[in-house]
């Protein structure tokens, strides 16, 4: 390892930051505070500092300060900083900065003797509350944007400051970086880390020496690191509260503040370039930068990361004083990461985020290619046609999306089937070859958006140059051609998957052979063709595909190569279909038609507990109680297809599946409930039950539970508070208190809560009877879904049923949401309330057909016969052969796969894990549920229980962005409704809980 020679001239700036800080004993500090500032210190706590002795002070009244004792050599800088703070005190920054507290004489700076003949400058500053950004482990994009915006506003304010005697340049100033690296790199013991530092130095220090003098100059903070930015938290929302430590402020290149900030905040980030882009965009929006500044930002960030890392190595090697907060492995890791990032990629991330083309020459190249497509020579012979490898392609319909080998096999088979033509994999296509869970950013985000076109022409097929060019690079598997077709237009074409390629330096004419397609690969042999507007020297590899969140930036560097196919119109780039779908919905659906999520998803397929969108990303489904046994269950798919191909008619004809299914369905219910009315939706089933109740009792009034939902027809909307609140409660509908033990009058700690809530229902029966309008029916959900995932208290339904029986009130169990084993404890929700609870009607739907439209109402023969005089009952599609076959097979699957037991065990495991989160996240007010029907209620305050409605929607959007689907429910929309397929596993529960934990910790 090389080290500086002993005779090397000392770096005075380095000596200054390693000289240590002045040391005054606590008693002396108390004396200074009392005598000079009139402050009676109740407590003192030492703070970190590079050149100052910094002490946190709390006085007898609880006021907080920072006492700074400095070296006399820094007096010039201290006066500058003091004047700067006075300047900032007159500006509205939107955040707090320290203010100087005058001493008893009115001076902002005083001095005290150190006992050695020196007068030490002393300042008392106001304390700025908040947690250092460095201590915020997970940072939301909103917080990062706020950090960037605050930095921009701060620079705008400091740039207005003028001082006649600015401080001398210091160690960390960018023009000094070359000297820092030269003196410190030799102390880096790790060879690969040292190589990274040398690489960054060689690439960027000469560039900065050339460009820094040309950039705008302003007074800047120059130490906007993550320890000097303070953050406050309000619920899930984190924002910048203040900025401290102006000790390094000086006039220099204006862009320096953003570079210092980014190089600090990027440390430890899963995706450092995304952090840089977010900071730069927000800063640029608050304080616009020139193009020259933006283009030099990445080199500045890289050099800053290197100077911090190598200085830490030198301090450790020489055992010198230094701020210990910067001696982290994350600083060295960032330097290593940035050394692997091509300069044009770093610059592109910044430019794209700030609204500029990712590369300056990108627009000109793209325009030239589009205008000259007719003159290009197709790289291979044959008829070109696109092959759809996206998630919506029919080629994957027989493959399980969880089996990546099966997906690749399906794609390969389709490619081979298309020959002798030439199938072409499209540019910008998110290929569905190895789908992974959606992530918002970072290394776990799937990289499946392709930056080139693939020509599947077969091994040994000659490949031609589409345009004249010169071979710039040649490797075993491909080559790069440089093209300069006209002044101001310069680009490269890349060919991957070749053998026998041309040699470097060869001049290649349009149509000339450049190699042959090589054999091998996960897909059939092909050549990948890409266009690059950036030089590729120094790149360790060119990505074939990138994450969706980065695709627009990468496409600015690697534009569409489709024009290289020549005069053809069969192959075009892949484009998203969601825009057209949304426009169609706006045109043809009612405005009131709901849609999940503020930023919706275009779903194209699903399997088990996973959805897959058009981008080929998967989502864990914790939302869909319709698909009881999982999406696209193979047995149900096969059953439906077989029966549809055999017979599908209506129930006026006789077919075995109808009676067989009716027998199996009624066998799950208490004895006596054996007559089935097949319909098409839960709304129809509830509508029919109410119609029958009113006819049989000759009464009109209905008692319900407040906040419930029972459907969309006129009849059931009138007994659904979530519906009729929009137009007024009908006089015949009578809501009773929601038996919510979290918010209601009787809580979890009341063992008689069920009976007390039931008393309200019975009293309502009696009140109505006294008024001469006894109710026809009592309609209830066995677990309130839209009412807030409310579990009925033990002992609630039994007394209600007894009272109803005595008073001639018919009971209707709405099992549309929770039936078919979802609650785990029993097959039907009402059964969880005990054996004495046997309804007169049971309605069902949703999960009954696992997504196939079917529903039913079941009652007794006695009731059915009493209703017969109203005329024959018939539903055209209700109980059709396909519906019955699917329903029958669903019952088989639930039994064969033990799914009711899974709901019981895993459902409780999920709630146990969610309850564990409540210990660390005060936003969680309550966790409740049964089986696979659970709720997580979010509140702003656990005492007042104020609903956190806005926060709940944000959380759902965040979960969706991280590949987990759930949505709000409840009267205030502050409850997560968790109702996954019954195939949901413990691993799925862990995945959901861990993701929710991350989101709550990160905030927004």
């Amino acid at each position: 390892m090389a080290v500086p020679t002993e005779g090397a001239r000392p770096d005075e700036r380095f000596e200054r930051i390693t000289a240590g800080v002045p040391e005054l004993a606590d008693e002396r500090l108390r004396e200074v505070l009392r005598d000079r500032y009139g402050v009676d210190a109740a407590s003192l706590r030492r703070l970190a500092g590079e050149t100052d002795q910094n002490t946190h002070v709390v006085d007898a009244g609880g006021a907080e300060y920072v006492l700074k004792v400095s070296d006399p050599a820094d007096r010039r800088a201290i006066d500058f900083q003091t004047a700067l703070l006075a300047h900032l005190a007159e500006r509205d920054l939107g955040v707090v900065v320290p203010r100087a507290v005058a001493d008893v004489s009115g001076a902002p700076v005083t001095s005290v003797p150190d006992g050695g003949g020196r007068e030490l400058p002393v300042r008392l500053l106001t304390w700025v509350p908040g947690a250092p950004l460095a201590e915020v482990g997970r940072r939301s994009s909103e917080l990062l944007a706020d950090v960037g915006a605050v930095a921009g506003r701060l620079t705008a304010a400091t740039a207005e400051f003028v001082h006649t005697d600015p401080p001398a340049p210091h160690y960390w100033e960018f023009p000094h970086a070359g000297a820092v690296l030269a003196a410190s790199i030799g102390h880096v013991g790790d060879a690969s880390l040292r190589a990274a530092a040398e690489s960054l130095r060689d690439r960027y220090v000469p560039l900065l020496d050339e460009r820094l003098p040309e950039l705008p100059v302003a007074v800047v903070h120059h130490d906007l690191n993550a320890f000097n930015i303070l953050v406050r938290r309000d619920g899930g929302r984190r924002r910048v509260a203040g900025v401290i430590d102006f000790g390094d402020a000086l006039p220099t290149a204006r862009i320096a503040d953003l570079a210092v900030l980014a190089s600090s905040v990027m440390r430890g980030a899963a995706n450092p370039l995304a952090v840089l882009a977010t900071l730069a965009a927000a800063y640029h929006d608050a304080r616009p930068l020139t193009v020259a500044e933006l283009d030099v930002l990445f080199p500045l960030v890289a050099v800053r990361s290197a100077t911090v890392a190598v200085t830490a190595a030198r301090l450790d090697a020489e055992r010198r004083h230094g701020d210990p907060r910067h001696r982290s492995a994350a600083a060295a890791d960032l330097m290593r990461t940035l050394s692997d990032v091509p300069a044009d990629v770093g610059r592109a991330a910044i430019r794209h985020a700030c609204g500029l083309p990712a590369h300056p020459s990108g627009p000109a190249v793209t325009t030239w290619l589009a205008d000259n497509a007719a003159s290009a020579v197709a790289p291979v012979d044959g008829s070109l046609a696109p092959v759809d490898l996206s998630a919506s392609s029919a080629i994957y319909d027989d493959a399980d999306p969880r089996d990546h080998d099966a997906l690749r096999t399906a794609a390969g088979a389709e490619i081979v089937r298309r020959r002798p033509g030439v199938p072409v994999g499209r540019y910008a296509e998110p290929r569905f070859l190895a789908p992974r869970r959606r992530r918002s950013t970072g290394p776990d985000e799937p990289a499946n958006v392709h930056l080139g076109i693939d020509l599947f022409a077969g091994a040994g097929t000659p490949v031609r140059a589409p345009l004249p060019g010169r071979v710039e690079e040649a490797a075993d598997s491909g080559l790069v051609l440089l093209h300069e077709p006209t002044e101001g237009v310069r680009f490269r074409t890349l060919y991957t998957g070749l053998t026998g390629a041309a040699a470097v330096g060869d001049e290649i004419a349009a149509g000339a052979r450049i190699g042959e397609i090589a054999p091998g690969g996960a897909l059939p042999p092909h050549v990948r063709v890409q266009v690059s507007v950036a030089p590729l020297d120094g790149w360790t590899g060119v990505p074939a595909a990138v994450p969706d969140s980065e695709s627009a930036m990468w496409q600015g560097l690697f534009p569409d190569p489709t024009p290289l196919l020549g005069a053809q119109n069969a192959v075009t780039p892949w484009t998203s279909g969601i825009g057209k779908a949304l426009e169609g919905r706006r045109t043809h659906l009612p405005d009131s038609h709901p849609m999940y999520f503020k930023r919706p998803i275009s779903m194209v397929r699903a399997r088990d507990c996973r959805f897959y969108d058009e981008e080929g990303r998967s989502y864990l489904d914790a939302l869909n109680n319709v698909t009881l046994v999982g999406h696209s269950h193979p047995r149900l798919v096969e059953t439906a297809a077989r029966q549809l191909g055999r017979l599908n008619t209506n129930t006026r004809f006789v077919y075995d599946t109808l009676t067989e299914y009716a027998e199996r369905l009624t066998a799950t219910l208490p004895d006596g409930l054996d007559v089935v009315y097949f319909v098409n939706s839960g709304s129809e089933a509830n509508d029919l039950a109410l119609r029958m109740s009113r006819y049989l009792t000759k009464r009109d009034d209905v008692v319900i539970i407040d906040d419930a939902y029972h459907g969309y027809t006129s009849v059931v909307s009138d007994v659904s508070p979530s519906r009729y609140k929009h137009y007024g409660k009908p006089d015949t509908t009578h809501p009773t208190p929601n038996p919510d033990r979290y918010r209601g009058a009787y809580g979890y700690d009341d063992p008689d809560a069920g009976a007390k809530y039931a008393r309200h229902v019975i009293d309502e029966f009696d009140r109505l009877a006294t008024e001469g309008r006894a109710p026809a029916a009592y309609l209830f959900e066995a677990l309130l879904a839209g009412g807030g995932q409310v579990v009925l208290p033990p002992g609630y339904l039994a007394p209600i049923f007894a009272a109803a029986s005595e008073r001639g009130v018919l009971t209707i169990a709405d099992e549309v949401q929770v039936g078919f084993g979802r609650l785990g404890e029993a097959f039907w929700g009402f059964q969880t309330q005990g054996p004495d609870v046997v309804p007169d009607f049971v309605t069902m739907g949703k999960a009954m057909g696992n997504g196939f439209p079917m529903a039913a109402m079941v009652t007794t023969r006695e009731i059915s016969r009493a209703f017969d005089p109203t005329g024959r009952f018939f539903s055209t599609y209700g109980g059709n052969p396909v519906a019955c076959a699917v329903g029958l097979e669903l019952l088989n699957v639930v039994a064969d796969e033990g799914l009711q037991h899974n709901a019981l065990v895993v459902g409780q495991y999920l709630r146990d894990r969610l309850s564990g989160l409540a210990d660390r996240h005060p936003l969680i007010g309550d966790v409740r549920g049964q089986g696979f029907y659970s709720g997580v209620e979010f509140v702003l305050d656990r005492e007042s229980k104020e609903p956190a409605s806005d926060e709940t929607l944000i959380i759902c959007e965040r979960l969706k962005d991280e590949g987990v689907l759930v949505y709000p429910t409840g009267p205030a929309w502050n409850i997560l409704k968790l109702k996954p397929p019954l195939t949901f596993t413990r691993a799925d529960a862990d995945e959901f809980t861990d993701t929710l934990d991350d989101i709550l910790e990160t905030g927004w």
Side-chain angles (χ1 to χ4, degrees), residues 694 700-703 718-719 729-734 768 773 775:
R694 284 167 166 159
D700 291 326
D701 293 75
V702 177
V703 176
D718 282 353
V719 293
K729 183 183 77 65
D731 184 55
T732 54
T733 298
H734 307 280
L768 292 170
R773 50 190 303 186

Side-chain angles (χ1 to χ4, degrees), residues 253-272:
R254 183 177 60 185
I255 190 64
D257 253 2
L258 180 54
V260 171
L261 171 71
S263 67
S264 175
V265 180
M266 291 163 68
R267 293 176 203 162
N271 188 341

Side-chain angles (χ1 to χ4, degrees), residues 438 578 582 585-586 589-603 611 613 619-627 631 709 785-786 789 817 846 933 952-961 964-970 973 975-981:
R438 176 176 179 174
I578 192 168
L582 290 174
R585 289 173 72 103
R586 286 190 290 267
L589 298 186
D591 294 341
S592 58
H593 196 289
M595 187 164 51
Y596 284 134
F597 305 114
K598 183 178 180 181
R599 298 181 301 278
I601 317 162
S602 177
M603 292 301 189
F611 275 108
D613 69 8
Y619 299 79
L620 177 65
D621 181 10
L623 172 64
N624 214 323
N625 63 328
V626 174
T627 47
H631 295 275
Y709 171 73
Q789 313 294 90
Q817 295 272 9
K846 288 192 185 294
Y933 220 111
T952 305
L953 278 169
I954 291 171
I955 289 166
C956 290
E957 288 284 345
R958 288 293 194 279
L959 283 166
K960 178 259 296 178
D961 291 343
V964 174
L965 300 183
V966 69
Y967 213 63
T969 191
W973 273 53
I975 302 161
L976 295 186
K977 53 182 175 183
L978 304 176
K979 42 182 187 170

Side-chain angles (χ1 to χ4, degrees), residues 739 741 747-748 750-758 791-799 825 832-834 930:
R741 284 174 289 168
Y748 291 116
D750 187 343
D752 297 322
K756 291 177 179 177
Y757 280 115
V791 177
L792 301 184
Y796 175 70
L797 285 181
E825 299 173 33
T832 65
Q833 288 278 305
Q930 284 177 291

Side-chain angles (χ1 to χ4, degrees), residues 419-556:
R419 291 175 178 163
V422 179
V424 180
R426 296 172 292 174
Y427 176 74
E429 182 176 56
R431 298 188 185 166
F432 196 59
L433 300 174
R436 292 166 56 191
R437 195 180 110 192
R438 176 176 179 174
R439 297 287 191 165
S440 58
T441 186
D444 293 329
E445 184 183 4
N448 67 333
V449 179
H450 279 247
L451 294 178
I453 52 176
D454 291 324
L455 306 176
F456 294 94
T461 300
V463 178
R464 301 185 294 258
L467 303 170
R470 183 177 72 253
V471 179
E472 192 172 62
E473 294 182 33
D476 293 340
S477 61
L479 82 164
V480 176
L481 294 180
L482 173 64
H483 309 276
E484 298 180 90
T486 188
E487 184 176 352
V489 177
R490 179 184 174 95
F491 60 94
R492 280 99 178 148
T493 54
L494 295 72
Y495 308 86
T496 305
L498 294 183
T499 185
V504 172
D506 285 355
E507 294 289 343
I508 306 294
R513 178 187 175 282
I514 56 175
E516 298 175 352
I517 295 180
L523 293 178
H526 60 280
V527 59
R528 181 189 313 124
V529 182
Q530 295 173 276
V531 172
S532 173
V533 298
L536 301 173
D537 49 302
W539 287 49
T540 56
V542 173
V546 296
D548 175 68
S549 68
E550 302 174 10
S551 60
M553 181 273 288
W554 281 103
Q555 287 166 6

Side-chain angles (χ1 to χ4, degrees), residues 96-135:
V96 180
V97 297
R99 297 191 177 204
V101 178
D103 68 5
V104 292
S105 71
V109 182
T110 188
S111 63
V112 297
D114 68 348
R118 297 190 308 166
E119 287 290 322
L120 303 179
V122 175
R123 291 163 289 163
L124 187 65
L125 303 179
T126 55
W127 175 258
V128 179
L133 180 64
E135 296 177 4

Side-chain angles (χ1 to χ4, degrees), residues 608-665:
D608 195 22
C609 293
R610 302 280 165 176
F611 275 108
Y612 300 88
D613 69 8
E614 65 170 357
E615 306 265 354
R617 303 169 299 194
S618 76
Y619 299 79
L620 177 65
D621 181 10
L623 172 64
N624 214 323
N625 63 328
V626 174
T627 47
L628 187 80
V629 298
H631 295 275
S632 305
H633 194 290
R635 286 171 58 177
L636 269 64
V637 171
E638 193 275 334
T639 296
R642 182 179 63 247
Q643 185 62 51
L644 192 61
R646 179 183 299 169
L647 172 70
N648 200 27
T649 183
N650 64 70
T651 54
R652 292 191 178 197
F653 292 98
V654 176
Y655 44 89
D656 292 344
T657 52
L658 175 67
T659 51
E660 185 178 357
Y661 180 56
E663 289 173 1
R664 285 285 303 278
L665 181 64

